[in-house]
Amino acid sequence: VLVVEDDIPLATILERGLVEDGYAVDLAHRVVDARHSAQSNEYDIVVLDLGLPDGNGLDLCAELRADGYAVPILMLTARDSLSDKVSGLDSGADDYLTKPFDYPELAARLRALVRRPADARTPVLEVGELKLDPASRRVWLGAIVVPLTSREFSLLEYLMIHSAAVVSRTDLLEHV
């Protein structure tokens, strides 16, 4: 587990609990350290705070997802507004837990994320040179990012999922 948390006492408590639960834990207190650790080591999960001294966890999450980083990310933050939660999940996080939290809930969420099969955690769709990442809601044609409206994205996603079949107008209307 990679724990990215700038509050050192909290990071130490998380590390102690996770180690007692049988996890190997690396700590990072800054975005630059977290980025380096994520790119250099293989983790089963990342616990990511949003407010870090040298950057924003949302930006780091989106950057990792844009680079194809498929490891589950649980955001653990004091930001508890609905818009913060939506932003966190839209940036590519798999789960979002607000502080203060109960450790048993955090541990259960981590177990649930780790239980997901690897192919369920990497849902990038590819058809030819076109790639679509439902988690980050981004589309690429080769190396070019293609901006799409929400409806265009949903339509393209449905067509890519069913790329081997003829899709009727009725199917599109019902599912998009």
Side-chain angles (χ1 to χ4, degrees), residues 30-119:
R30 300 179 310 148
V31 168
V32 66
D33 300 328
R35 184 181 300 115
H36 175 73
S37 292
Q39 293 170 346
S40 303
N41 302 300
E42 289 187 30
Y43 295 101
D44 291 322
I45 196 159
V46 175
V47 177
L48 177 62
D49 187 14
L50 295 186
L52 298 165
D54 63 336
N56 186 327
L58 284 174
D59 296 335
L60 175 61
C61 183
E63 176 187 326
L64 291 171
R65 293 300 191 220
D67 290 342
Y69 193 73
V71 171
I73 297 174
L74 181 143
M75 288 195 172
L76 181 64
T77 180
R79 298 181 192 172
D80 62 355
S81 73
L82 177 61
S83 64
D84 288 325
K85 292 174 185 177
V86 169
S87 295
L89 295 169
D90 283 347
S91 74
D94 297 280
D95 200 356
Y96 193 102
L97 183 62
T98 58
K99 300 173 190 173
F101 62 93
D102 293 316
Y103 181 81
E105 180 182 4
L106 172 73
R109 288 174 183 251
L110 292 177
R111 286 191 304 271
L113 289 171
V114 171
R115 268 195 313 265
R116 291 183 186 171
D119 58 347

